[in-house]
Structures are given as C-alpha cells and as structure tokens.
Amino acid sequence: MKRLAGVLAVTVAVSGLAVPAQAAKSKDIYMVRNVQRVDDFYVGEFVVLSKARTQVVGATGAFSSEYFCFAGTVSNGLFDVATWDEFGNQDGTWTRQWVKGHLKGWRKVTWKKFMKYSEGFKPGRAINYCITQTQ
C-alpha cells in the first residue's frame, strides 16, 4: 500500500497535477539608525520590511514622523528598491549595501525594541500599507 501511494504521488507530481508550491515565507526585518531619547520620546530613522527570498517591500522614515514606501530586491549585496511618495506615486530609487541581513550602517532590532522606539506604532501596519501601495 505504501509503495502504491508513493508511485501515485510521483505520477501526480510528474503529470503536473500536484498542488503548486506555497509562496516563499516572508520574514519581517526592523532596522534603526541614529536613535536617541529626547525628553520622553525617541527620534531616529527606521526601515521596516518584509523579505521573501530576494523580494522586499516596506517603509522608511523617522520615528514620530512620516514614512515612505519602497519595493524591490536584495541580491548580490545590494538593496535596490523603487520608492513611492506620500501620494502613492513612484518617485525614485534607493540603493544601499546589504550586509549580513541588514542595511549597512543600520542596526537590526527586535519587534519589541522597535515598538519601544516607535511609541507603539506597529511596523506591520506600515509594511501592509506599503504592500498595497506598491502593487
């Protein structure tokens, strides 16, 4: 019986009747730069993104301020993305070095640390917004 199931599975896969492979799992990455505590809040820059294989989409901005969307790729040590302005118009490109899972000159932080810096603004909200804006 096991052999028949194996042969059937191979036959289905070879004939193209198999279920397509699931989309690549994405990983959210949070990065900060120049973070300082001023009075009772944090200032500094951030990048939040969702990465699936070489594809990235996300946002960059400043804490307690606005952010802008981007979408593109990470490959061969380069983070190369198109950017969108606050009106949803594609307005340029942004290319930076990508080193060991983050932008060179930026520091990866945990979701919990990002939440502390952002005063509770959930990075997933920006990522999801940018997914819709950049499609």
Side-chain angles (χ1 to χ4, degrees):
M1 187 64 157
K2 286 182 183 177
R3 183 177 177 153
L4 178 60
V7 170
L8 183 57
V10 169
T11 304
V12 168
V14 170
S15 67
L17 299 174
V19 177
Q22 290 183 333
K25 284 194 133 206
S26 64
K27 175 182 180 181
D28 290 351
I29 300 171
Y30 318 113
M31 293 173 273
V32 297
R33 180 170 75 170
N34 302 323
V35 175
Q36 302 172 44
R37 187 165 175 90
V38 177
D39 295 324
D40 291 333
F41 63 95
Y42 289 92
V43 296
E45 300 169 83
F46 70 85
V47 170
V48 295
L49 61 91
S50 180
K51 181 176 180 292
R53 293 190 181 141
T54 62
Q55 300 298 308
V56 294
V57 62
T60 184
F63 290 113
S64 301
S65 186
E66 59 196 1
Y67 63 85
F68 302 96
C69 297
F70 60 79
T73 61
V74 172
S75 64
N76 299 322
L78 284 180
F79 178 84
D80 190 21
V81 296
T83 58
W84 278 256
D85 66 17
E86 65 270 24
F87 305 109
N89 302 311
Q90 190 173 348
D91 72 341
T93 60
W94 199 43
T95 302
R96 300 288 185 269
Q97 287 184 323
W98 185 263
V99 182
K100 298 181 182 177
H102 64 90
L103 292 170
K104 184 175 183 178
W106 294 72
R107 181 172 48 103
K108 281 175 75 171
V109 295
T110 64
W111 181 85
K112 186 175 181 178
K113 183 78 78 167
F114 186 90
M115 290 292 290
K116 178 181 176 182
Y117 294 153
S118 69
E119 299 178 36
F121 176 73
K122 295 180 179 160
R125 292 182 69 192
I127 292 169
N128 289 337
Y129 172 77
C130 288
I131 288 171
T132 62
Q133 292 298 304
T134 60
Q135 291 181 345

